[in-house]
Amino acid sequence: MMKRKKLPTISVVGLGKLGTPFLVTVASRGYQVIGVDLNPNTIQNLNDGKSNSVESKLALLLKQYHARIRATASFAEAILNSELTFIIVPTPSTSNGSFSPKHVAAALKNIGQVLRQKSQPHVIAIVSTLSPGSLAQVLAPILEKSSGKKIGKNFGLCYNPSFIALGNVINNLLKPDFVLIGESDQKSGDILEKFYRRVCLNQPPIKRMQPINAEITKIALNTFITTKISFANMLAQLCERVPGADSLEVTQALGLDSRIGSKYLLGSVPYGGPCFPRDNRALRAFGKKNRMTLGLPRETDVINQSQIAAIARLVEISTPPKNKIGVIGLAYKPETDVVDESVGINLANYLAHKKCAVSVYDPLALENARRILDPRIAYATSLTALVNSCKTLIVTTAWLMIKYELPKLLTKNNRRSIIIIDCWRIFDHADLPNHVTYIGRGQYIRA
Ligand SMILES: NC(=O)c1ccc[n+]([C@@H]2O[C@H](COP(=O)([O-])OP(=O)(O)OC[C@H]3O[C@@H](n4cnc5c(N)ncnc54)[C@H](O)[C@@H]3O)[C@@H](O)[C@H]2O)c1
């Protein structure tokens, strides 16, 4: 019988919101994995089988594949015992909108020092989001200096961003639309391609290219999506002022055209989270660096910034001044507790600043939200408590539980009139009880 070739061991540097699910997904596909982080609690948690972030399926897979996973603070332990390393450390935005590569550089310096002593080949793939040009101009020289070796000869350095949405990271990693590889040399690209052919369940297209093109592709892709979102939000704002108009009907029709497609084409809330706003700004910064003003991402951002006031306008028109306003949803999207650039938080703060009485609820993100919410804002510990205390309710995050629970609670609580502002159009007006006044984002509202 032919003996099956042993899979290479994989290491993952940076065990945060993306790194931990990445490592666990790889373990679930049969690999031994070693995680490296600077934070001792993160390492301890992972070694104890506990997840460091809230992510769908993460706790379950971690429990199931715990025997294949170990975490350490030692770069030497991880690099000497693995063949392929993924770097997934933060790349914070700088004041000009570009991404700082300082944490990636620090990790590469540590890796390079270990590679000095390693004679076997090794491939490093940077998953962290980079500004175009960073790999060749900043990071490759750091790695070559610290290792004393030449990239492409003794080891490879690739750019390999993941296209994932928090809350759905594991599914997105297992079944990506495509895999993007910016490779220093063909052999390293081959190794990464082979890895993804084994990890992915859906045989995705794998696009291999020069690192600079992969760096541009990553932020261009997200900027294209943000443009689509702002376009739909612009239509929503317009339709809200036109008697009889409804942007939902317009965008549903537009989405049927195969040149356009229906994804991300719903007039709803401004985009937020840790990626979309930053990637949009990073493309502008890259344009500026190349002496070009990129008007499209700038306007996309301007439209995005105007959406909080546009949603607040729906409140102002519909709501008597004494109504307490309940904001439902503080996470920037469902199935996560992440609150970066969250519409629920920005809207609640905006309304509190306008002296409205505001209460908030979220199934997961209440604790994270506390740090950035205006102190005048009240917290509801349950959806029932929010419905009982507020006469105007705004749905800012399309949690599935809200879609199913809220109509039931409104039917029970039928003693007073309630206004619902449905930013995500998750409710059908006809399914809500008669005492509810329904306002859908993008529908005409008389001022
Ligand atoms: N979170 C997302 O939705 C998402 C999506 C696509 C891309 N990204 C990109 O992935 C990267 C990581 O994002 P994240 O959200 O997972 O970050 P995070 O802040 O959640 O986690 C980063 C982890 O890296 C560790 N770390 C920092 N410096 C280190 C070093 N020198 N060595 C070892 N560990 C180090 C931190 O302790 C932390 O555990 C960023 O570049 C981000 O832009 C994130």
Side-chain angles (χ1 to χ4, degrees):
M1 206 168 72
M2 271 239 303
K3 223 177 139 191
R4 274 183 77 183
K5 207 170 164 240
K6 200 173 157 248
L7 291 175
T9 298
I10 306 298
S11 50
V12 176
V13 177
L15 303 172
K17 295 183 288 298
L18 178 53
T20 301
F22 189 99
L23 167 130
V24 172
T25 303
V26 172
S28 79
R29 300 296 293 137
Y31 292 87
Q32 296 288 326
V33 284
I34 308 172
V36 184
D37 204 283
L38 302 178
N39 185 331
N41 291 333
T42 301
I43 295 168
Q44 186 66 49
N45 279 343
L46 205 56
N47 283 332
D48 291 346
K50 288 187 232 150
S51 54
N52 295 308
S53 41
V54 177
E55 188 56 57
S56 166
K57 292 190 189 161
L58 181 61
L60 193 77
L61 289 186
L62 187 51
K63 203 169 161 199
Q64 204 172 344
Y65 299 105
H66 188 222
R68 296 185 191 150
I69 297 168
R70 70 177 195 269
T72 175
S74 161
F75 278 85
E77 182 186 342
I79 303 304
L80 294 176
N81 292 299
S82 65
E83 291 167 43
L84 174 56
T85 301
F86 293 89
I87 299 184
I88 319 183
V89 300
T91 42
S93 296
T94 64
S95 56
N96 70 14
S98 64
F99 297 111
S100 163
K102 64 181 178 185
H103 299 297
V104 181
L108 283 175
K109 217 168 155 187
N110 287 326
I111 293 171
Q113 281 158 4
V114 182
L115 288 178
R116 245 176 212 278
Q117 326 151 29
K118 188 172 176 180
S119 50
Q120 297 95 332
H122 199 98
V123 175
I124 298 153
I126 299 174
V127 177
S128 300
T129 309
L130 298 179
S131 283
S134 301
L135 189 131
Q137 289 158 25
V138 184
L139 300 170
I142 289 173
L143 187 58
E144 288 192 332
K145 190 168 172 212
S146 61
S147 65
K149 295 178 180 174
K150 269 249 131 327
I151 290 171
K153 250 185 161 185
N154 309 75
F155 62 93
L157 178 66
C158 297
Y159 182 52
N160 173 225
S162 301
F163 297 99
I164 54 91
L166 290 182
N168 208 17
V169 176
I170 293 172
N171 278 340
N172 293 158
L173 289 172
L174 288 172
K175 293 182 180 174
D177 283 349
F178 75 111
V179 172
L180 181 63
I181 299 175
E183 61 200 40
S184 59
D185 60 290
Q186 182 165 354
K187 199 168 158 212
S188 303
D190 288 346
I191 289 169
L192 259 186
E193 173 162 355
K194 195 168 170 201
F195 168 80
Y196 280 105
R197 294 255 173 254
R198 168 152 186 120
V199 167
C200 300
L201 298 172
N202 62 338
Q203 299 186 319
I206 297 186
K207 286 297 284 177
R208 291 169 58 173
M209 56 187 76
Q210 288 293 322
I212 181 68
N213 290 331
E215 288 169 321
I216 296 171
T217 303
K218 155 68 178 151
I219 55 174
L221 188 144
N222 277 354
T223 304
F224 192 88
I225 298 172
T226 55
T227 308
K228 215 172 164 189
I229 295 170
S230 277
F231 186 84
N233 284 340
M234 174 196 76
L235 286 178
Q237 267 179 285
L238 178 64
C239 288
E240 283 158 6
R241 292 165 187 268
V242 178
D246 185 347
S247 68
L248 182 62
E249 292 195 4
V250 177
T251 54
Q252 279 178 342
L254 291 177
L256 294 175
D257 189 309
S258 61
R259 293 168 299 179
I260 296 176
S262 59
K263 286 184 180 171
Y264 293 94
L265 193 66
L266 172 74
S268 54
V269 302
Y271 53 81
C275 290
F276 281 163
R278 295 190 328 124
D279 287 6
N280 189 71
R281 285 175 214 137
L283 188 64
R284 279 171 65 194
F286 183 57
K288 205 166 173 191
K289 195 174 165 200
N290 289 285
R291 299 170 306 284
M292 228 188 124
T293 303
L294 301 185
L296 201 52
R298 186 187 53 200
E299 201 51 37
T300 296
D301 199 19
V302 169
I303 293 173
N304 201 51
Q305 307 267 352
S306 70
Q307 294 311 305
I308 294 296
I311 297 169
R313 174 180 171 269
L314 304 181
V315 181
E316 280 156 29
I317 294 173
S318 63
T319 298
K322 283 202 174 139
N323 269 21
K324 190 169 191 186
I325 299 162
V327 174
I328 306 177
L330 301 170
Y332 86 96
K333 68 184 288 295
E335 309 302 329
T336 177
D337 62 351
V338 173
V339 294
D340 301 24
E341 305 211 25
S342 132
V343 59
I345 290 179
N346 289 343
L347 181 68
N349 283 344
Y350 183 97
L351 293 170
H353 190 70
K354 294 255 173 196
K355 310 240 176 314
C356 301
V358 182
S359 192
V360 292
Y361 172 72
D362 188 281
L364 273 184
L366 272 182
E367 277 319 303
N368 287 346
R370 272 181 208 278
R371 289 179 281 114
I372 36 182
L373 273 172
D374 188 298
R376 289 168 288 192
I377 292 169
Y379 295 81
T381 50
S382 67
L383 188 58
T384 310
L386 192 83
V387 171
N388 289 340
S389 64
C390 298
K391 284 190 172 173
T392 296
L393 299 168
I394 314 171
V395 179
T396 45
T397 313
W399 283 98
L400 214 52
M401 73 75 91
I402 305 290
K403 179 176 164 69
Y404 294 112
E405 293 303 313
L406 191 57
K408 285 189 222 158
L409 288 172
L410 292 171
T411 306
K412 257 195 224 162
N413 188 328
N414 61 1
R415 276 167 304 184
R416 52 198 190 127
S417 57
I418 285 199
I419 299 163
I420 299 265
I421 300 175
D422 178 6
C423 292
W424 286 97
R425 307 297 294 266
I426 55 176
F427 302 114
D428 191 333
H429 190 181
D431 296 340
L432 296 173
N434 287 338
H435 65 283
V436 173
T437 303
Y438 177 84
I439 297 161
R441 183 85 220 267
Q443 282 180 322
Y444 171 64
I445 178 166
R446 192 196 298 267

